[in-house]
Amino acid sequence: MTALPDKTDKKLGLVIDLDTCVGCHGCVTACKGWNTQHYGAPLSDTDPYGADPGGTFLNRVFSYEAQAEGRPAQTIHMPRSCLHCDDAPCVTVCPTGASYKRAEDGIVLVNEDRCIGCGLCAWACPYGARELDREAGIMKKCTLCVDRIYNENLPEEDRVPACVRTCPAGARHFGDLGDPDSDVSKLVAKRGGYDLMPDLGTKPVNKYLPPRPKDTLDTAPLTAVADEPKGFLGWLDKALEKL
Amino acid sequence: MHPAPSVIIFTTLSGLGFGLFFWLGLGVPDVQGGSAFAFFFIAYVLSCAGLLASTFHLGNKKNAIYALSQWRTSWLSREGVAAIVTLFLFALIAVPRIFLGAEMVISGVIGSVLALITVVTTSMIYTQLKTIPRWNQPLTPVLFLLHALGGGALLAGEVKIAGWLLLALTLALFAAWRVGDRRALARGTTGDATGLAHLGAVRMLESGHTARNYVVDEMVYRVGRKHAEKLRWIALALAGALPAAILLLTPPGHITAFVALALHLLGVVIGRWLFFAEAEHVVGLYHGA
Ligand code: SF4
Ligand code: SF4
Ligand code: SF4
């Protein structure tokens, strides 16, 4: 059913630390690996060794540069996957009932046995989080690794999303954002975690932690040490000029 | 947005078909027997060809039947239901009109209303998308309705009504472009989308992929501004202004009506291409577009 649940018991989601992420794309690879072998149709690669390769990913890392007036530029790596929005527009537009949001934990999923691959849900998502698989003709999106987090066949420490488990920088956190006392909620409160494009009313569950403020140097890095040298430097300057 | 031929054909043909159904339901033109057959045949061919074209871009056609199930929430589903109900009802109207010479006034009016509802549901598939500010405005359904009513009147042979409707369409197209341009600009910047604007000017350094992918192909489509400006005027002239002038200023006749229809159709196809190609999706902001 593509009606959204009035409320969900839990709000499982990710908290991504933009201060810590080093942009290694480890989460991208772990995500692709896990989700190609498990939930639903595999994530295809088209023409992988040819001239025009392409493929489906559920998580991609973008890098941005931010620069304020008179300050050095700074690089921010931003992984983006489905934010499991509370008011998910991708769900309500779906004509078949393939897209749905689970009432128990808030995970947004696609039932591949109903999807017609119309692509309307991808149009409705502001974040580019849904990709139509070109081989399967079915809509793919982050499953929040629903087949890991409840999977009792896995050792306990592996019952988190593949991207979280693999992140070498510890930049990805998983938990219940509906519970104010959870570790992730406390982290969001402490670090000022924010929503992407909140004005579109999607109420994302996933949060991003902003980069921590950087120190400012007293001197700009590339000013000349001395424009008009005095003392020993002055003497050296003159002596060298005479040569 | 990527201007896929299937959606351009779909919106153009089915709009015309349901527009013609609207007039036929009202008894315009008031025909029975063989000529009623001809008119209904054209309306069915257009609307069915349009609906068929819309299924071409589906990745997984075998599940198509489920698309009628979510009419409570989904405009796409509502459109499918409305189209099928309308086509079915018009079969019940067409058969008595063709073979029994019956008038079918009341069911005709109901059919006309349903035809309009179908056009509105089609337009709402696009209008509802907050992610595409250019479409997410009240003029979008107005445009779809005027296309259907104007083109339908032209097919039904009501040249003067068609002339006035196409004049209204010309104005609506112009207004929608103006409003759309303003809304598209108000999308914000890469800094706003990433929530990093407080750190200064933000630009994309590296995209999340080195190869093409679905999101970029589908949603980060851009037309050159100069190109678009020219095409807008061409579409405006062909779809609206020229046929309106021909219909309103020249004495009615088969040849003038035919020329007007041909110009109108060409204009609608160009206009629909622009409707998709010009539509800026907010996800483009993450790609620095
Ligand atoms: S991020 Fe996109 S795909 Fe995920 S729930 Fe939100 S709108 Fe839907
Ligand atoms: S692509 Fe599949 S999941 Fe998305 S709206 Fe269409 S039917 Fe629903
Ligand atoms: S939660 Fe799982 S599916 Fe989602 S981005 Fe992480 S690895 Fe991919």
Side-chain angles (χ1 to χ4, degrees):
Chain A
M1 263 300 166
T2 53
L4 289 164
D6 290 337
K7 70 176 209 28
T8 57
D9 301 337
K10 283 185 179 176
K11 295 182 192 213
L12 295 187
L14 301 175
V15 174
I16 297 169
D17 191 341
L18 300 180
D19 194 68
T20 317
C21 175
V22 293
C24 71
H25 294 244
C27 54
V28 177
T29 312
C31 171
K32 175 109 176 177
W34 178 264
N35 288 289
T36 283
Q37 298 169 49
H38 298 88
Y39 188 99
L43 303 172
S44 69
D45 288 307
T46 49
D47 196 17
Y49 302 104
D52 187 20
T56 311
F57 288 80
L58 309 183
N59 176 35
R60 295 185 188 255
V61 181
F62 287 68
S63 298
Y64 298 98
E65 178 197 72
Q67 184 165 28
E69 274 290 308
R71 298 207 34 171
Q74 113 184 54
T75 308
I76 300 105
H77 305 289
M78 178 175 264
R80 285 211 331 274
S81 53
C82 170
L83 310 172
H84 298 280
C85 305
D86 255 348
D87 216 335
C90 56
V91 170
T92 48
V93 299
C94 174
T96 61
S99 277
Y100 63 106
K101 184 171 175 74
R102 308 201 329 166
E104 61 269 40
D105 52 17
I107 300 180
V108 174
L109 289 174
V110 175
N111 174 353
E112 298 185 356
D113 294 332
R114 284 186 86 113
C115 176
I116 52 173
C118 65
L120 191 59
C121 54
W123 290 14
C125 170
Y127 312 106
R130 289 176 168 244
E131 300 189 13
L132 190 78
D133 190 90
R134 304 215 198 236
E135 304 257 294
I138 281 170
M139 194 53 72
K140 303 297 293 187
K141 66 176 292 302
C142 159
T143 62
L144 206 62
C145 288
V146 66
D147 46 0
R148 285 177 70 98
I149 57 179
Y150 299 115
N151 190 340
E152 290 181 359
N153 296 321
L154 295 177
E156 183 135 20
E157 65 270 28
D158 283 336
R159 289 181 213 156
V160 291
C163 55
V164 174
R165 184 75 176 100
T166 216
C167 177
R172 304 177 71 95
H173 308 270
F174 163 72
D176 180 7
L177 287 140
D179 169 10
D181 296 321
S182 68
D183 287 346
V184 278
S185 294
K186 285 186 203 152
L187 188 62
V188 168
K190 186 164 155 228
R191 291 278 308 282
Y194 67 94
D195 291 347
L196 292 187
M197 297 206 268
D199 40 327
L200 288 175
T202 51
K203 305 203 193 85
V205 168
N206 285 13
K207 302 282 183 256
Y208 284 85
L209 305 180
R212 292 184 174 89
K214 295 252 191 279
D215 284 349
T216 354
L217 297 174
D218 303 341
T219 48
L222 284 181
T223 44
V225 183
D227 282 336
E228 291 205 17
K230 294 184 191 79
F232 173 70
L233 275 181
W235 172 82
L236 192 66
D237 199 40
K238 274 185 210 137
L240 286 174
E241 235 157 60
K242 271 185 197 143
L243 279 179
Chain B
M1 306 297 291
H2 170 64
S6 58
V7 277
I8 295 175
I9 297 172
F10 154 58
T11 52
T12 306
L13 295 189
S14 81
L16 262 182
F18 285 102
L20 180 55
F21 272 128
F22 169 80
W23 294 107
L24 290 177
L26 295 184
V28 178
D30 191 6
V31 282
Q32 268 84 25
S35 44
F37 174 80
F39 277 104
F40 279 111
F41 182 74
I42 295 173
Y44 271 107
V45 167
L46 288 172
S47 50
C48 292
L51 291 175
L52 217 61
S54 73
T55 63
F56 288 165
H57 79 284
L58 298 184
N60 197 20
K61 297 182 188 60
K62 72 177 192 318
N63 288 338
I65 189 71
Y66 294 121
L68 303 176
S69 66
Q70 302 302 309
W71 49 271
R72 278 193 215 82
T73 44
S74 162
W75 282 106
L76 181 50
S77 191
R78 285 173 197 158
E79 197 236 9
V81 174
I84 288 173
V85 172
T86 309
L87 292 177
F88 184 72
L89 184 68
F90 268 101
L92 298 182
I93 298 167
V95 170
R97 275 220 200 144
I98 295 167
F99 296 106
L100 308 173
E103 294 277 343
M104 308 300 290
V105 177
I106 297 177
S107 48
V109 171
I110 298 175
S112 295
V113 173
L114 276 170
L116 283 192
I117 289 177
T118 308
V119 175
V120 171
T121 53
T122 307
S123 73
M124 286 309 292
I125 298 171
Y126 305 104
T127 310
Q128 67 176 336
L129 297 171
K130 284 191 195 151
T131 46
I132 304 166
R134 186 182 285 284
W135 292 350
N136 187 228
Q137 52 150 318
L139 281 172
T140 306
V142 173
L143 278 179
F144 274 73
L145 278 173
L146 285 174
H147 273 104
L149 291 176
L154 193 45
L155 284 177
E158 280 299 325
V159 288
K160 293 297 165 200
I161 299 179
W164 289 111
L165 284 166
L166 293 186
L167 195 63
L169 174 66
T170 313
L171 300 177
L173 274 172
F174 186 75
W177 276 321
R178 280 302 181 82
V179 177
D181 285 347
R182 222 179 316 121
R183 292 186 57 85
L185 272 182
R187 279 179 312 154
T189 61
T190 302
D192 301 325
T194 54
L196 298 171
H198 62 281
L199 297 173
V202 178
R203 69 177 184 108
M204 186 175 75
L205 212 51
E206 268 188 282
S207 110
H209 27 78
T210 50
R212 72 200 165 79
N213 76 75
Y214 176 76
V215 172
V216 175
D217 287 354
E218 187 76 6
M219 284 170 272
V220 195
Y221 191 93
R222 292 168 87 189
V223 264
R225 266 192 71 80
K226 270 198 202 136
H227 212 73
E229 193 67 35
K230 261 188 228 146
L231 281 174
R232 279 185 184 184
W233 289 113
I234 293 173
L236 200 75
L238 290 180
L242 277 180
I246 293 175
L247 295 172
L248 292 175
L249 302 177
T250 63
H254 280 305
I255 295 179
T256 48
F258 183 78
V259 171
L261 180 64
L263 292 177
H264 173 70
L265 266 181
L266 188 63
V268 173
V269 171
I270 299 173
R272 279 288 148 78
W273 185 88
L274 272 176
F275 178 75
F276 290 99
E278 279 197 296
E280 303 88 344
H281 194 288
V282 291
V283 79
L285 297 173
Y286 290 108
H287 296 260

